[in-house]
Amino acid sequence: MKRITILLCLLFVINNVCTVCAQEVKHIKTCSYEGYIFPCNHPVHGFPRLNGCNLSTNQIQKAEEILSAHFVEIKDRCRPNDAQISKSMLKKYIRQYWGSVNENGHVIVNICLVKKSVAKNENLEDDILYFLDGGCEIIDVIVDINEGTYSIIPHGYA
């Protein structure tokens, strides 16, 4: 019993130290994608996150692999009749990432894809953007990296 208490205390301290240390927005850039990773305590659309978690670059990479593997579904949701759109379309978006843990303990990676032409007018590193419109210029993707599932939410058309 004493060992369990000590272990729980250590986990609590480690978790709090990691959370305190990782409070900055981090820029990530690879040859395939670029974006900003928001820390667990950063509010989403003005509301605090109760189940937020800090994402690692490995978790981002896994989410990006799932996103890339399902490019066709994104294309079909945004521009189903446009055969000209290729997988390289995803490189035209800058991302905002933030994480949470669902009721099953799975890590959920939220990705806001913002087309570079729109992003130049925004400060993507300052705050998680909130759009009510934008069509496929702004696409929200929610990825459960434990199960490899996702949902794609393009914004409405004006």
Side-chain angles (χ1 to χ4, degrees), residues 28 33 37 55-65 109 145:
I28 183 171
Y33 56 88
I37 307 170
L55 295 171
S56 69
T57 54
N58 289 337
Q59 291 169 320
I60 298 291
Q61 182 179 357
K62 188 169 183 180
E64 284 288 339
E65 288 169 3
V109 178
I145 62 171

Side-chain angles (χ1 to χ4, degrees), residues 2-153:
K2 187 175 182 179
R3 288 183 184 177
I4 292 173
T5 305
I6 292 171
L7 180 62
L8 289 174
C9 288
L10 280 172
L11 288 173
F12 177 78
V13 169
I14 290 169
N15 183 47
N16 285 334
V17 167
C18 291
T19 300
V20 169
C21 293
Q23 299 303 312
E24 295 180 0
V25 175
K26 295 180 189 170
H27 182 250
I28 183 171
K29 186 172 184 175
T30 71
C31 60
S32 301
Y33 56 88
E34 177 181 8
Y36 298 93
I37 307 170
F38 287 84
C40 67
N41 67 334
H42 193 91
V44 176
H45 313 311
F47 296 99
R49 289 188 286 157
L50 301 177
N51 57 349
C53 70
N54 290 319
L55 295 171
S56 69
T57 54
N58 289 337
Q59 291 169 320
I60 298 291
Q61 182 179 357
K62 188 169 183 180
E64 284 288 339
E65 288 169 3
I66 294 167
L67 178 69
S68 180
H70 298 284
F71 159 76
V72 173
E73 288 89 344
I74 295 172
K75 179 188 149 320
D76 288 346
R77 290 286 304 272
C78 289
R79 295 192 174 90
N81 300 323
D82 193 345
Q84 300 296 328
I85 295 177
S86 66
K87 197 176 237 185
S88 66
M89 167 191 125
L90 291 176
K91 289 183 181 181
K92 296 179 181 177
Y93 289 85
I94 297 178
R95 284 90 153 132
Q96 291 184 308
Y97 305 96
W98 65 98
S100 59
V101 178
N102 71 9
E103 61 277 354
N104 298 324
H106 295 185
V107 174
I108 306 299
V109 178
N110 298 273
I111 309 171
C112 179
L113 295 119
V114 182
K115 199 153 196 183
K116 289 181 179 179
S117 59
V118 173
K120 67 182 178 186
N121 299 324
E122 303 293 338
N123 292 323
L124 296 180
E125 68 277 3
D126 290 343
D127 208 0
I128 296 169
L129 300 179
Y130 180 67
F131 291 95
L132 296 174
D133 198 4
C136 289
E137 306 295 302
I138 295 98
I139 304 168
D140 289 325
V141 180
I142 302 168
V143 179
D144 181 330
I145 62 171
N146 296 89
E147 290 187 0
T149 58
Y150 63 95
S151 72
I152 302 164
I153 309 159

